[in-house]
């Protein structure tokens, strides 16, 4: 009797189990088959949902060959940096004055006067003069730092070369490696942060700026 009941119970459990369909092709095989069946340059379907359709992407300009097979992504980064410089740096300041190896580059110790707009509407302007402490180059994001002493307090201002708020960058005195009479000597280090502890090196800055203003006033009188 117990054997018949056990057989009857097993038959009931087998009837309650869901039917397992026959094993079909794996997902990778189905995905590869769908990719091969789909024609190129035609809208492709999403493998998980047949209702999703991707339209073909328009390519008005051919993609450069160096972007199709970039070496560790550097070609894409350089192309982006070049496009940003062409758009925001028409004077090519990043490639000349703030370059790393250009012969006309600005060295640490040069005296600059930067005129900037006070707001994005470009309604008012303000200027700041100081000694170039160094240039920071990160892709297309070039920045430089100026230092000056205002009311016996050291003031530093950092500017972005490609900023739309910069109106003019004027070179008052360019630091030279082998200066002549009346020229400014370039500092030894490219990043002259030691100027914070050497205020005596900025004593002649006020005289140089005053002389520059006098020369500008004389030029205005001659032109008038």
């Amino acid at each position: 009797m117990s054997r018949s009941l056990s057989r009857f119970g097993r038959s009931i459990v087998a009837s309650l189990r869901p039917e397992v369909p026959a094993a079909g092709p794996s997902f990778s095989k189905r995905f590869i088959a769908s990719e091969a069946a789909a024609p190129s340059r035609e809208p492709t379907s999403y493998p998980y949902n047949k209702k999703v359709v991707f339209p073909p992407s328009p390519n008005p300009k051919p993609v450069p060959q160096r972007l199709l097979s970039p070496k560790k992504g550097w070609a894409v980064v350089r192309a982006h940096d070049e496009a940003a410089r062409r758009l925001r740096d028409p004077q090519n300041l990043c490639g000349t004055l703030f370059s790393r190896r250009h012969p006309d580059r600005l060295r640490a110790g040069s005296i600059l006067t930067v005129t900037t707009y006070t707001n994005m509407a470009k309604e008012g302007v303000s200027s700041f003069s100081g000694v170039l402490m160094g240039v920071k180059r990160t892709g297309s994001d070039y920045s430089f730092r100026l230092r000056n002493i205002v009311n016996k307090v050291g003031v530093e201002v950092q500017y972005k070369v490609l900023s739309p708020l910069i109106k003019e960058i004027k070179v008052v005195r360019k630091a030279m490696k082998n200066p002549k009479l009346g020229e400014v000597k370039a500092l030894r280090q490219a990043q002259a942060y030691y100027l914070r502890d050497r205020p005596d090196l900025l004593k002649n800055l006020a005289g140089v700026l005053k002389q520059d203003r006098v020369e500008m006033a004389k030029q205005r009188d001659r032109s008038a």
Side-chain angles (χ1 to χ4, degrees):
M1 185 68 180
S2 61
R3 293 181 179 178
S4 62
L5 287 177
S6 61
R7 291 177 181 176
F8 179 74
R10 286 196 295 268
S11 63
I12 293 176
V13 173
S15 63
L16 294 177
R17 289 179 180 174
E19 296 183 0
V20 180
S26 61
F27 170 74
S28 59
K29 293 182 179 180
R30 286 188 282 109
F31 184 74
I32 294 173
S34 62
E35 287 285 327
S40 59
R41 299 183 183 179
E42 292 293 335
T44 58
S45 61
Y46 191 54
Y48 302 100
N49 191 350
K50 296 182 180 180
K51 296 182 180 180
V52 179
V53 178
F54 296 98
S57 59
N59 294 323
K61 296 182 180 180
V63 181
Q65 186 64 28
R66 60 194 178 100
L67 298 183
L68 296 177
S69 58
K71 184 178 180 181
K72 297 183 180 181
W74 282 109
V76 180
V77 174
R78 290 173 181 171
H80 176 270
D81 293 343
E82 292 175 0
R85 291 175 186 176
R86 287 195 300 267
L87 180 63
R88 302 178 186 177
D89 188 14
Q91 300 178 1
N92 194 21
L93 296 178
C94 296
T96 54
L97 293 181
F98 299 98
S99 176
R100 188 184 299 273
R101 296 179 178 84
H102 196 274
D104 297 334
R105 66 185 181 276
L106 294 176
R107 301 178 184 271
S110 301
I111 302 176
L112 307 179
T113 299
V114 181
T115 305
T116 58
Y117 296 103
T118 57
N119 50 28
M120 292 301 296
K122 299 182 179 181
E123 297 175 352
V125 295
S126 63
S127 60
F128 182 80
S129 301
V131 177
L132 179 64
M133 296 183 64
V135 181
K136 185 177 180 181
R137 307 171 184 86
T138 307
S140 60
D141 187 14
Y142 279 43
S143 62
F144 60 97
R145 188 184 297 268
L146 302 181
R147 182 176 178 84
N148 196 353
I149 297 179
V150 181
N151 296 330
K152 299 182 180 180
V153 178
V155 180
E156 293 183 7
V157 182
Q158 185 176 6
Y159 295 98
K160 300 289 186 180
V161 178
L162 303 183
S163 174
L165 294 178
I166 292 183
K167 180 180 179 181
E168 182 185 6
I169 300 177
K170 180 182 178 182
V171 182
V172 180
R173 290 289 178 88
K174 189 174 181 181
M176 306 298 293
K177 194 171 183 180
N178 298 318
K180 299 179 182 179
L181 184 62
E183 296 181 345
V184 180
K185 184 178 181 180
L187 303 179
R188 295 181 179 180
Q189 299 180 6
Q191 304 290 338
Y193 294 111
Y194 63 88
L195 290 177
R196 298 169 181 172
D197 301 328
R198 298 288 304 277
D200 56 316
L201 297 178
L202 302 178
K203 289 182 179 179
N204 298 329
L205 179 60
V208 173
L209 295 176
K210 185 176 180 179
Q211 185 179 358
D212 180 68
R213 293 171 186 170
V214 172
E215 293 178 357
M216 289 183 61
K218 290 182 179 179
Q219 292 180 359
R220 292 175 184 173
D221 295 339
R222 292 174 183 175
S223 60

